[in-house]
Every structure is written in structure tokens, then in C-alpha cells.
Amino acid sequence: MRHNLSKLSGLAVACVIAISAGEYRSSPSVAAMSPSATLTIVTVNNPQMIDMEKLTPEFTKETGIAVNYVTLPENTLREKVTNDVATGGGQFDLATVGTYEVPIWAKNGWLDNLDDKFAQLPPGDAQKYDLDDVLPSVRKGLSYQGHLYALPFYGESSMTYYNKALFKEAGLSMPEHPTWAQIASFADKLTDKSKRRYGIVLRGLPGWGEMGAPLTTVINTFGGDWFDMNWEPQLESPATKKAIAFYLDLLRRDGPPGSESAGYTECETLFAQGSAAIWVDATAAAGAVSDPRTSKVSSDIGFAYSPVAVTPKGSHWLWAWSLAMEASSKHKAESMRFLTWATSKEYIDLVARERGWNNVPPGTRLSTYQNPHYKALPYSAIVLSSVQSADPSNATLNKVPYVGVQYVGIPEFQGIGTRTTQDLAGVLTGQTSLDEALQTAQVRTERTMREAGYLK
């Protein structure tokens, strides 16, 4: 079976890091640093990444190492970093990657084994970092053949956000474990387009990691899947088609205009401005929508588990934006220093002091969820339960040959998922019918899988 690993030109994600090192007077693990080293961080504009950039002067003050950041749109980041790591260009030292990329890139030898790096640290440094404190489900997702290849900056599942004030005004009550049928009913009742108030906001922006992520959880919980055990695409199967039709119809009926251009950031903004009553998306947004500095409706936000339909399997995803060291990095000592700083317990404490517990990186460390300040947050228990229970190896009603909840863990999926969601965006805009879009996607995906060697 040939998987065309050489054709990865747009894979997932990338925050990328780099540092200009000055003198450091302490740990032997930093003794090999070059005073002329320069690292560059390419990052997405998620709130947690923005906080990291703002707090990096603390790292520079502690170590003498300066850091430069470049912020790009998520899809652009994915392409740039994938091209760099695949060609061994060495443009970046640390890349922010997702759970999807790590095992694929590790298999190709594009990332350094971090178990080896930790083994080289002084015992006191390794003990202080405390790898055992990192959530087991997240560590497993960032490993390949039992070895760790990335450290999580923040982890997430998905959940339901809702505006309690709008629900109360309409005499509605959100259950802790809603169904998609209930969500649709609520959205229908709460939509008032004359007031520019929308019952729901969901990602409609094309991209396997944009619209493709929440849409795939809907496919899962409706009993559908992307492929059967023979790698035959299932885009026109009854369950998958029903799920996709439900998602698109709900957006067209109760979503804002221009939904085909709304990704994670746009959806978060609309919800935080009070323009939408419901939002189903990443748990990582809980802090931002609860913070009065970033949300106009912070005091009205309610939280519930991700909706289900036919099965709870795959109804909520597992993801971690993580820092990984490129094998072609020229500054590995400096990279390891920053990597362990930005994912440490001490960094979480720093964010808590400077930005409040609402804004600490979620979904990574057990100690965060044991802290009484964090446990008191209204979404803490839902997030922890969702992250711990998401199972990428058992995310569909039917048995499938792939791993992944909101994605299919093969290199070809970044292209398949992106092109398919581009077709579906055409349905949102009325340029094509659902039947035409799915037929096109089915034929093209079959061709891709045959060329890659999955189908004979």
C-alpha cells in the first residue's frame, strides 16, 4: 500500500519558533546554545498563542533569549510549515503542529524524538517539567510507536456554548447533554434575522481543519464515516449524506450571512459579540468567551457537552496545538529551552497571574484541573471530561481503518477534506446542489485513494 507521503503540501498547522540567544548562566542543558542563534515563531492568532507572544519577554528576561513571531492565517501556516518540514528546509526550529500531523511527520523522520531530548536534560530539569502530569490522552495523540514527538501548548475537545440570556428570554433550557435535534430546534426559535440575531454559528470556511472539523463530528454521531474498511469513500452513503445535509441546512436556515467565510476566529467573534445564541466548537474558546475583556456577553455564557445524534461516538473531538522540534533545526538546545518553558507548569502559573485563570492554556496538565481556582470555572469539568473521553481509535459507529475523530489520520486527508469542504461551501452559497457536490467529491476521492494505493 502506497501512501504518497511525499505529496504533503498543505498539512495541518504550524506555529513555528525561534530564538535569538544571549548568555545563559545556569543549566548544563543550555550550555550548548549558540550566542548567535535566531529562532522565529510562526503562529496562528488564537488567543492562547497571542498570550504566548505577549508573555515571551518574561522568557527573554529569564534566559537572555530573544524571540521573533510571524502570525499567519491558519491555512497558510499549515502550508508553509508542511513545505518546510517535508523538504528539510530548516526555516523553522519549532513548529506548532496538531495531533493530525505528529504521527505522520514522525513516521517520515521530520520531527525529533522528544523522549531522547528529555533523557539528555539534567534530572532536576526533567523532574521539574513532570511529563507524567501531561494528560495521557493528549500524550498518546502526540506519540508515534510509543515515543513522544511534541509537547502540548494547549489541548481541546469540542463543546456547546450558548447565550443564557437569550435562552431565558425565549423560555428555553439547554440540557447538559443536548442532541443535535434539540440544538436545531433551539436555533430555529432563537433566530431573528431582522435583528441580526442568529440561532447558531458554525464553521463554514473550507478547510479540513476549518469546516471539516465540526462537520466530521456531526458525520460521526449521525452514524456516518469518511471511508469503509476497504477504503471506499462513503460521502454518498445515507448516514454521511444525512449528516452533511443537516449541517448545511442548519447553517443556511439559522446561521449568519457569509457563513462560507466563517472559520474558528470569525465564529468566536460573532458569538462573543452576542450575535449568535449557540456555538458548537473547540473547548479552547471557553476562557475567551468568558472574559469581559474579549467578550461582550461574558456573564451570559452557558456551557454544555457537544451534541449527539445516533451515537455518542466521535461527537466530540481531540486536538492539541503543540510544539515540535523539526529534525532540520539548527538550534536544538535553544529550541528545547523554549519548548519546555512554554508548556511548563510555571508558564501556566505565569498566565494565571498575568491574564487570569480563564486564560491559562487548557487541556494539557492534570495539575491545572486539580487547582481549586481552575476547578471553580463553570466549564472546567466539561472540558476535562471531554478531552479524557474522546477516543480517536473508536470514533465511528461502524468499524473503519483509520484513526481520528475530526479528521482521518492519513496524509491524503488534508487534500481530500479541503477539496470536499470547498464543494460544500458551494452548496452554502447556492452555486451547486448537495447531490452534485457529494457526487463530485465521491468520484474525486475515489481517484485520489486509488492513485495513493489504498484502492486497487
Side-chain angles (χ1 to χ4, degrees), residues 162-436:
Y162 64 100
N163 188 310
K164 292 188 294 185
L166 295 179
F167 267 68
K168 183 177 181 180
E169 178 184 318
L172 301 174
S173 179
M174 174 72 78
E176 187 176 29
H177 293 273
T179 66
W180 273 111
Q182 289 173 319
I183 293 294
S185 176
F186 294 149
D188 288 345
K189 292 181 173 73
L190 290 164
T191 295
D192 188 342
K193 294 185 179 180
S194 67
K195 296 180 180 179
R196 295 185 180 180
R197 190 181 76 192
Y198 305 98
I200 195 164
V201 62
L202 296 167
R203 302 188 202 183
L205 181 69
W208 70 266
E210 283 287 1
M211 183 206 295
L215 175 60
T216 299
T217 66
V218 177
I219 291 172
N220 295 338
T221 194
F222 271 68
D225 38 56
W226 279 87
F227 300 96
D228 66 14
M229 283 300 293
N230 297 316
W231 288 108
E232 290 282 353
Q234 298 297 298
L235 291 165
E236 294 182 294
S237 71
T240 300
K241 183 177 180 179
K242 183 177 181 180
I244 294 173
F246 173 86
Y247 189 94
L248 298 180
D249 288 346
L250 181 59
L251 256 185
R252 286 186 296 187
R253 192 171 66 247
D254 295 318
S259 288
E260 70 280 359
S261 300
Y264 170 84
T265 302
E266 292 78 14
C267 288
E268 180 184 23
T269 299
L270 283 167
F271 185 74
Q273 288 176 343
S275 300
I278 303 169
W279 180 33
V280 181
D281 211 299
T283 58
V289 299
S290 302
D291 189 338
R293 292 172 294 187
T294 53
S295 173
K296 293 181 179 179
V297 292
S298 59
S299 61
D300 293 326
I301 303 302
F303 308 91
Y305 286 89
S306 198
V308 299
V310 175
T311 175
K313 287 186 175 183
S315 60
H316 56 285
W317 69 60
L318 180 67
W319 185 260
W321 285 111
S322 307
L323 302 178
M325 192 181 302
E326 291 195 15
S328 57
S329 169
K330 301 177 180 65
H331 311 297
K332 298 193 176 184
E334 297 86 354
S335 297
M336 188 64 178
R337 186 74 177 103
F338 186 89
L339 191 160
T340 52
W341 175 79
T343 63
S344 66
K345 295 178 185 179
E346 289 72 25
Y347 177 81
I348 288 175
D349 290 339
L350 174 63
V351 177
R353 290 196 304 272
E354 298 294 328
R355 299 280 295 151
W357 281 101
N358 256 333
N359 293 291
V360 303
T364 60
R365 288 185 171 271
L366 290 165
S367 56
T368 300
Y369 292 88
Q370 294 165 352
N371 185 291
H373 298 290
Y374 201 77
K375 287 177 72 174
L377 297 175
Y379 51 81
S380 175
I382 293 177
V383 174
L384 180 61
S385 175
S386 298
V387 170
Q388 289 182 315
S389 62
D391 187 356
S393 64
N394 186 24
T396 56
L397 184 62
N398 301 313
K399 190 175 181 182
V400 294
Y402 56 86
V403 172
V405 181
Q406 76 279 25
Y407 58 84
V408 177
I410 58 172
E412 292 76 15
F413 184 71
Q414 53 88 21
I416 291 170
T418 296
R419 288 191 294 270
T420 299
T421 52
Q422 288 169 345
D423 295 331
L424 298 179
V427 180
L428 282 176
T429 59
Q431 295 177 327
T432 186
S433 70
L434 179 61
D435 286 340
E436 291 171 334

